[in-house]
Amino acid sequence: MESKKSKIPSPVAKRLALYHRCVETLLKSGKEMISSKELGERLSIKSSQIRKDLSYFGGFGKRGSGYNLNYLKDALENIMGINRTWNVGVVGAGNIGTALANYQGLLKDGYKIVALFDRNDKKVGKTVGPRKVPIFHVNEMCQKIRELSIEIGVIAVPAEYAQSVADRLVKCAEIKGIINFAPVKIYVEKVDLEDVDISISFKSLTFKIWSEVIGRK
Ligand code: NAI
């Protein structure tokens, strides 16, 4: 059975990440305060929903004057655990795995890919990208996860191997969460799981486009 380790509902967690990104952008533009109404308009989220989400954690605004953006940013970072660096290990050094290791935006957000794991001997021993992220053999996974203090695992292997990779990751005691890129439902206990699926986003989008084309309400 899939475990729900976190008590915070997944949609709330996703909205908090959206608030954080918006707050960062606003701060960069020189803004200092924002009302839940304005934040809601920017994100197409009801202001009542924003207040409700933030009230989970005690609320941060003063009635009438809105949220101080610096304070809100710090508070969101504390809530989401993004005021620190998370070491990440990616299983599968293919297109997705190497693209992730090359993506500097993740590092900027505090997610540091420190290792890739693969079963292909031709890839093992090589490095990826300007930070020279090493590729280790998947059989060394638990040992390297321990040595490199990796707490998040990413699954970037073909769908048919995703569950067995997840099982192996969970057995490495340090792993606390998994991001799954494989287009298949995987089941894990004891760790949190997030699926990333671009195809689902495309299908959801074309469903909306197609609904308009055929006049479905
Ligand atoms: P790829 O074929 O380029 O790379 C897969 C890598 O995994 C290879 O290096 C292979 O040697 C390795 N591998 C296979 N089985 C393994 C195992 N048991 N243990 C360790 N390594 C293993 O594949 P690509 O294009 O990088 O895709 C990876 C996954 O991501 C696939 O499941 C694909 O369907 C999915 N994908 C997901 C997207 C998304 O939006 N979530 C977008 C595109 C692909």
Side-chain angles (χ1 to χ4, degrees):
M1 212 183 96
E2 187 183 353
S3 76
K4 279 267 170 244
K5 209 178 127 218
S6 172
K7 296 256 185 320
I8 304 298
S10 211
V12 177
K14 289 215 164 80
R15 283 196 297 272
L16 291 180
L18 287 175
Y19 302 157
H20 180 260
R21 191 170 64 185
C22 185
V23 165
E24 272 195 322
T25 309
L26 289 166
L27 277 169
K28 273 187 203 142
S29 75
K31 207 167 161 67
E32 289 177 7
M33 301 289 292
I34 195 163
S35 65
S36 52
K37 183 168 175 284
E38 190 183 343
L39 191 56
E41 280 165 3
R42 284 175 180 271
L43 295 169
S44 301
I45 297 173
K46 282 185 183 164
S47 56
S48 55
Q49 181 69 69
I50 293 176
R51 288 194 296 274
K52 189 175 166 207
D53 287 343
L54 296 179
S55 72
Y56 262 104
F57 311 97
F60 314 102
K62 276 199 193 127
R63 193 167 278 278
S65 57
Y67 301 103
N68 175 300
L69 286 168
N70 268 311
Y71 182 76
L72 185 57
K73 177 173 176 282
D74 286 349
L76 285 168
E77 289 177 357
N78 278 320
I79 291 166
M80 293 192 289
I82 51 176
N83 52 355
R84 52 161 285 191
T85 299
W86 293 88
N87 286 348
V88 179
V90 180
V91 192
N95 297 308
I96 294 282
T98 52
L100 288 172
N102 274 310
Y103 177 47
Q104 299 307 303
L106 273 180
L107 187 59
K108 188 185 123 292
D109 281 341
Y111 303 100
K112 187 174 185 187
I113 295 178
V114 293
L116 291 140
F117 301 99
D118 208 287
R119 65 173 185 183
N120 182 341
D121 289 328
K122 289 192 182 131
K123 296 188 177 185
V124 172
K126 296 194 169 142
T127 63
V128 175
R131 286 196 304 110
K132 298 196 183 311
V133 181
I135 304 176
F136 300 109
H137 197 278
V138 71
N139 289 342
E140 291 182 276
M141 199 158 71
C142 275
Q143 184 199 331
K144 293 296 172 192
I145 280 175
R146 202 174 320 116
E147 283 173 14
L148 296 167
S149 305
I150 292 172
E151 291 176 279
I152 297 176
V154 176
I155 298 178
V157 298
E160 58 268 41
Y161 305 112
Q163 183 64 56
S164 65
V165 164
D167 294 341
R168 288 181 82 166
L169 274 170
V170 172
K171 279 193 188 133
C172 308
E174 290 76 12
I175 291 294
K176 299 193 172 65
I178 293 176
I179 300 269
N180 172 38
F181 276 84
V184 63
K185 180 86 191 133
I186 59 170
Y187 298 90
V188 288
E189 285 185 35
K190 296 190 205 125
V191 304
D192 288 303
L193 173 72
E194 281 283 334
D195 292 304
V196 179
D197 197 325
I198 286 175
S199 292
I200 295 283
S201 298
F202 272 95
K203 283 174 188 158
S204 168
L205 178 70
T206 52
F207 170 68
K208 289 177 195 163
I209 296 171
W210 191 239
S211 293
E212 283 166 31
V213 170
I214 65 171
R216 184 164 40 210
K217 296 278 180 245

